[in-house]
Amino acid sequence: MKLIAPAKINLYLAVGARRPDGLHEIESVMQSVSVSDELSIEPAEAVTFDVEPTGAAPEDETNLVVRAVRALASAAGASGGASLRLTKSIPTGAGLGGGSSDAAATLVGLNELWRCGISRKALEKIGAGIGADVPFCVRGGTAVARGAGEALAPLVVRSRLSWVIAMPSESLATADVYARFDELGAAPAESDPSGLADALARGDLDRIGSSLRNDLAEPALSLVPSLASVRDALAGAGVIGVVMSGSGSAWCGLARDAAHAEEIAAAVRDRVDRTWAVTSLDRGPRIAER
């Protein structure tokens, strides 16, 4: 079978105190978007895994796909094999959740291949043990995530949103950005995404744009100050609002519609490393071929 694993963006990310387990409390609004990786799964006697193009992502235990295989096998008591091939389009170190979405697609695909019969909700719980964004990526759509990302509540989005994702040549490691967040020592700001949630439900683009937030932008910019040029390029090209996704280094600019997004992407293309004009999705991983 062939699965589509969509990227996610963070429209809102408030970071709180570090918990006893070392993770930070967060409150985030995440949304699936139309740039995606592709995961092919075939029956096999043993588990094998490779990535295309070569070097685009690790093929060992550090890849969340491999961790997802192990987690599902453990949870379901499965002992089958599978041949997995991941074709990467979502860049690593961008804050777009590519690895998490790949893991989510692995859970969804192997659940069917191995006939585990596990519900999506149960797959989300398994995903929480793999990575903070995996539960959302299993679910997809638009949702508020709380805790360390495992507590999800879906949000109503009145109409499909159009975004421009702009990626600089530099990438960032999530652990490094959170470490700098701790070093900066800013007191956690009050968090209330209800205004954004209301704007999404009403389809109020201007209010959505003014409600975008990411507490990790400052530490990311302190690590790589040149990231500001990508933000400024999007702002100068006429986006309604701009926000860094996750721990960076990609920035997301809200457009009025798909045509506007294409115009903005074309306007900034010579000033950034990569751009995508994307739309929001109402789902997570899906099986495209059987």
Side-chain angles (χ1 to χ4, degrees), residues 229-249:
S229 66
V230 178
R231 176 199 62 198
D232 295 345
L234 285 171
V239 295
I240 301 170
V242 61
V243 66
M244 191 181 78
S245 186
S247 56
S249 57

Side-chain angles (χ1 to χ4, degrees), residues 63-106:
N63 194 301
L64 296 188
V65 167
V66 178
R67 292 180 58 185
V69 173
R70 307 282 186 253
L72 185 66
S74 176
S79 58
S83 174
L84 300 96
R85 172 164 293 183
L86 178 65
T87 302
K88 290 291 294 179
S89 295
I90 305 170
T92 59
L96 299 174
S100 297
S101 189
D102 298 339
T106 302

Side-chain angles (χ1 to χ4, degrees), residues 7-274:
K8 64 83 187 171
I9 60 175
N10 296 80
L11 285 62
Y12 186 100
L13 178 55
V15 181
R18 184 185 288 272
R19 309 187 325 181
D21 61 7
L23 301 174
H24 287 79
E25 289 284 338
I26 67 162
E27 188 165 35
S28 180
V29 174
M30 292 188 276
Q31 184 170 80
S32 302
V33 293
S34 57
V35 60
S36 59
D37 290 342
E38 185 178 282
L39 180 68
S40 297
I41 304 178
E42 297 181 2
E45 293 185 1
V47 174
T48 62
F49 174 56
D50 62 272
V51 177
E52 293 183 349
T54 301
E59 298 180 0
D60 57 17
E61 295 285 341
T62 61
N63 194 301
L64 296 188
V65 167
V66 178
R67 292 180 58 185
V69 173
R70 307 282 186 253
L72 185 66
S74 176
S79 58
S83 174
L84 300 96
R85 172 164 293 183
L86 178 65
T87 302
K88 290 291 294 179
S89 295
I90 305 170
T92 59
L96 299 174
S100 297
S101 189
D102 298 339
T106 302
L107 293 175
V108 171
L110 289 181
N111 183 46
E112 175 143 338
L113 178 68
W114 290 345
R115 302 185 185 278
C116 300
I118 298 174
S119 69
R120 282 276 180 135
K121 185 66 176 178
L123 290 178
E124 291 174 18
K125 292 182 180 179
I126 295 171
I130 301 169
D133 290 340
V134 179
F136 168 77
C137 289
V138 170
R139 179 175 297 197
T142 304
V144 177
R146 295 184 173 91
E150 74 282 2
L152 296 171
L155 292 178
V156 174
V157 180
R158 180 173 181 176
S159 57
R160 182 171 292 185
L161 299 182
S162 296
W163 298 90
V164 179
I165 300 175
M167 177 77 184
S169 57
E170 301 90 349
S171 61
L172 286 167
T174 299
D176 293 343
V177 177
Y178 271 100
R180 180 55 62 91
F181 176 87
D182 291 335
E183 289 171 5
L184 293 175
E190 290 294 322
S191 173
D192 182 7
S194 61
L196 174 58
D198 182 68
L200 289 168
R202 295 175 182 272
D204 186 337
L205 293 179
D206 290 321
R207 192 173 169 207
I208 293 170
S210 65
S211 300
L212 302 175
R213 167 180 171 175
N214 189 336
D215 289 356
L216 295 181
E218 181 182 354
L221 287 166
S222 74
L223 289 169
V224 185
S226 61
L227 298 183
S229 66
V230 178
R231 176 199 62 198
D232 295 345
L234 285 171
V239 295
I240 301 170
V242 61
V243 66
M244 191 181 78
S245 186
S247 56
S249 57
W251 294 84
C252 306
L254 179 63
R256 297 204 173 274
D257 52 35
H260 188 214
E262 293 287 356
E263 290 173 6
I264 293 169
V268 303
R269 196 159 284 141
D270 62 346
R271 299 172 61 187
V272 301
D273 190 55
R274 280 173 284 181

